Amino acid sequence: MDMGRESRWEKDAMTVEIVFALVTAVVLAAAVFAPALVLTLAFDLSAPASKGVLVGGALVGGVAGVWRLVRVLHRFDVERRKGH
């Protein structure tokens, strides 16, 4: 056997981990953005203030999503290199 090549199981595990990381990143980003959206809907904010809150929420949500994606994939890579 070629020890340098990944097995089918390892490729499937990577695919599952990537999908898991993407889904949880999107859910986290939406959960972080949701309070900003609720804030703009619940209170009668002016248009610039509403836009600022939504942009801020989107930025923070995006950063949280990317952080989650990187964290999950890095953790998977560390475990994979250990041989677990």
Side-chain angles (χ1 to χ4, degrees):
M1 269 212 202
D2 186 6
M3 297 302 286
R5 300 194 64 176
E6 297 166 340
S7 70
R8 186 72 204 152
W9 181 88
E10 289 171 323
K11 289 180 182 179
D12 289 346
M14 280 190 267
T15 301
V16 168
E17 198 67 23
I18 289 168
V19 170
F20 172 76
L22 287 171
V23 169
T24 59
V26 168
V27 169
L28 178 63
V32 170
F33 176 72
L37 181 61
V38 169
L39 182 67
T40 59
L41 295 175
F43 298 104
D44 189 27
L45 300 176
S46 65
S50 177
K51 184 177 179 181
V53 170
L54 290 176
V55 168
L59 286 173
V60 174
V63 168
V66 169
W67 170 79
R68 173 68 180 170
L69 181 70
V70 169
R71 184 172 158 244
V72 169
L73 294 179
H74 177 70
R75 183 184 67 214
F76 176 74
D77 187 51
V78 167
E79 292 298 318
R80 186 180 63 86
R81 290 178 190 261
K82 286 182 183 177
H84 294 150

